[in-house]
Amino acid sequence: MSISKTQKQKTQEHKKSSKRSWKKRILVWGVKLFALGLLMFVILFSLVYVGTFGQLPDSKTLINIKEPVATEVYSKDNKLLGRFYTQNRSTIKFKDISPNLINALVATEDVRFYEHRGIDELALLRVVFKTFFMVDRSSGGGSTLSQQVAKNIFGRKNYGPLTIPVSKIRESIIAYRLEKLYSKDEILTLYLNTVPFGENTFGIETAAKRFFSVSPSKLTIPQAATLVGMLKANNYYNPRTNPERSLQRRNTVIHQMAKYRFISNEDAEKFSRAPLGVKYNYLVYNTGLGAYFRELIRPQLEEWCEKNVKEDGSPYNLYTDGLKIITTIDSRMQRYAEMSVQERMRELQAT
């Protein structure tokens, strides 16, 4: 009995020892793997920082950030007739943006925006680790709004299997530099002026007028939540072409606002029951009032741009410099004239 008991004890002790040994091995391998990942991250970070994957923008470049802005053509009574553009974009100032939009954006995209320095370090390490050790090239996410500004303005290049980690590191460095040069409100303004909303629409002013026919300062909470919801996937959550998906995504944004106490739970329930209320306004250069007139003045405007220069000595560009063109057309008279022509054309075509 004594011998049997001793053998049993030895067997149990051996099992415990083996278990501890495996735990120790796993811990050691975990530490080694973490150290290796950290070393690879430091090496990759250093290579990106010194410009191995392309020169990073310096402070002068970042201070003088300028995106293509559409030229707008107005009637003499200050009604927008149309635009000339390569990208349908216009810019606004922070004071002209509804707080509803800012709250929806921060609650959904970067709830710690006002606390960090432009970088979410843990999210950045996670992306690099998953890319290297889990071979997951789709391991995006974790980008702050400042990093998204860097992505929107400077874009991404293809670096093969290193595309995601290199891009994330580049955007993190640029974001950190942006945070040193711009205030938080200025970064939010940069973001909202550069972010794409699909349908060749860039910037919140163009998007607000396109989908709801209002200025950004007038956006309601449901409208703001709809536009912020589009940022996850422009076409998939387009309120015009995919209203059901857009409504679901909008309500997700609204509940995010309630979760982080930008609005009450009661208001979130109320706003979630509201219809999308899309009021679509597809205004492009060759439609709308005075389309033929705008085509008539286009060559004259291009000629003027070639002969006139900006402060830096370069000529103006009709499609990217955000010019404001005031014409002699009265929008009301033009509308009546075009309605008369359409009515008379129907009569003539019927005969």
Side-chain angles (χ1 to χ4, degrees):
M1 290 291 293
S2 177
I3 295 174
S4 176
K5 184 178 180 181
T6 302
Q7 289 176 340
K8 187 176 181 180
Q9 288 176 339
K10 287 182 177 180
T11 302
Q12 291 176 343
E13 289 175 359
H14 179 71
K15 289 181 179 180
K16 289 180 180 179
S17 177
S18 298
K19 192 174 182 180
R20 284 195 298 268
S21 177
W22 274 108
K23 287 183 177 179
K24 186 177 180 180
R25 289 179 185 178
I26 292 173
L27 180 62
V28 169
W29 275 106
V31 171
K32 288 182 177 179
L33 193 62
F34 175 79
L36 178 60
L38 186 60
L39 176 63
M40 294 177 69
F41 172 77
V42 171
I43 292 173
L44 186 60
F45 183 93
S46 301
L47 291 173
V48 173
Y49 189 83
V50 299
T52 303
F53 295 94
Q55 198 66 36
L56 293 167
D58 57 17
S59 297
K60 183 178 180 181
T61 301
L62 294 176
I63 289 174
N64 295 311
I65 286 174
K66 185 178 180 183
E67 282 293 291
V69 180
T71 286
E72 296 180 333
V73 181
Y74 289 88
S75 64
K76 70 176 184 179
D77 53 326
N78 202 36
K79 299 296 182 182
L80 180 63
L81 299 176
R83 293 186 173 97
F84 298 118
Y85 58 83
T86 53
Q87 292 181 344
N88 192 9
R89 181 198 308 274
S90 56
T91 59
I92 57 173
K93 297 179 180 179
F94 184 81
K95 64 181 179 63
D96 298 319
I97 302 172
S98 168
N100 296 328
L101 185 68
I102 299 299
N103 293 340
L105 179 64
V106 172
T108 307
E109 296 291 322
D110 189 358
V111 73
R112 295 196 310 110
F113 174 71
Y114 288 101
E115 301 169 15
H116 62 61
R117 300 169 298 171
I119 306 170
D120 186 338
E121 291 86 354
L122 291 177
L124 181 60
L125 283 171
R126 184 189 71 238
V127 170
V128 175
F129 181 85
K130 288 177 69 176
T131 302
F132 276 120
F133 297 103
M134 300 178 66
V135 197
D136 182 5
R137 293 190 61 186
S138 64
S139 57
S143 291
T144 65
L145 287 173
S146 303
Q147 287 173 264
Q148 291 182 52
V149 169
K151 177 184 175 182
N152 292 342
I153 294 176
F154 297 102
R156 285 182 173 179
K157 296 180 180 179
N158 187 352
Y159 301 103
L162 296 178
T163 296
I164 294 298
V166 168
S167 297
K168 289 287 186 180
I169 292 173
R170 281 179 59 87
E171 290 157 13
S172 297
I173 295 172
I174 296 171
Y176 182 75
R177 293 178 178 178
L178 284 170
E179 293 266 350
K180 293 172 67 176
L181 296 169
Y182 293 92
S183 68
K184 290 290 187 178
D185 289 352
E186 288 172 332
I187 289 174
L188 284 173
T189 306
L190 272 174
Y191 177 85
L192 289 169
N193 278 331
T194 57
V195 68
F197 286 90
E199 299 189 6
N200 197 29
T201 300
F202 295 81
I204 189 60
E205 183 174 29
T206 306
K209 291 179 179 177
R210 168 69 62 87
F211 294 102
F212 294 107
S213 298
V214 298
S215 64
S217 63
K218 303 295 184 182
L219 287 169
T220 64
I221 288 176
Q223 290 171 341
T226 300
L227 294 176
V228 168
M230 291 180 68
L231 301 179
K232 185 175 183 180
N234 301 153
N235 295 323
Y236 192 81
Y237 295 112
N238 186 311
R240 178 180 67 89
T241 57
N242 296 304
E244 291 183 3
R245 294 174 188 165
S246 178
L247 186 65
Q248 292 175 356
R249 179 62 183 163
R250 182 204 70 177
N251 291 346
T252 298
V253 174
I254 288 174
H255 285 100
Q256 281 292 107
M257 295 177 72
K259 177 181 178 180
Y260 293 109
R261 301 185 179 181
F262 289 104
I263 59 175
S264 67
N265 291 327
E266 292 76 14
D267 283 341
E269 292 302 319
K270 179 182 70 175
F271 293 134
S272 295
R273 292 192 294 270
L276 277 176
V278 173
K279 190 176 180 182
Y280 196 73
N281 179 25
Y282 188 59
L283 183 63
V284 294
Y285 78 89
N286 59 350
T287 63
L289 289 175
Y292 289 102
F293 177 76
R294 281 182 275 123
E295 282 302 300
L296 178 67
I297 65 173
R298 186 215 290 262
Q300 300 174 39
L301 293 172
E302 290 176 337
E303 184 179 353
W304 182 92
C305 288
E306 292 176 1
K307 294 180 179 179
N308 291 270
V309 297
K310 295 176 284 188
E311 291 182 359
D312 62 2
S314 62
Y316 283 98
N317 187 306
L318 179 63
Y319 305 95
T320 63
D321 283 337
L323 301 172
K324 306 294 183 185
I325 311 299
I326 310 299
T327 70
T328 57
I329 284 182
D330 184 295
S331 67
R332 293 159 296 188
M333 298 302 294
Q334 181 68 24
R335 182 176 289 106
Y336 295 146
E338 292 185 12
M339 289 172 61
S340 298
V341 170
Q342 290 174 3
E343 185 176 343
R344 181 59 177 160
M345 285 298 296
R346 282 195 295 268
E347 294 175 357
L348 291 174
Q349 290 171 349
T351 59

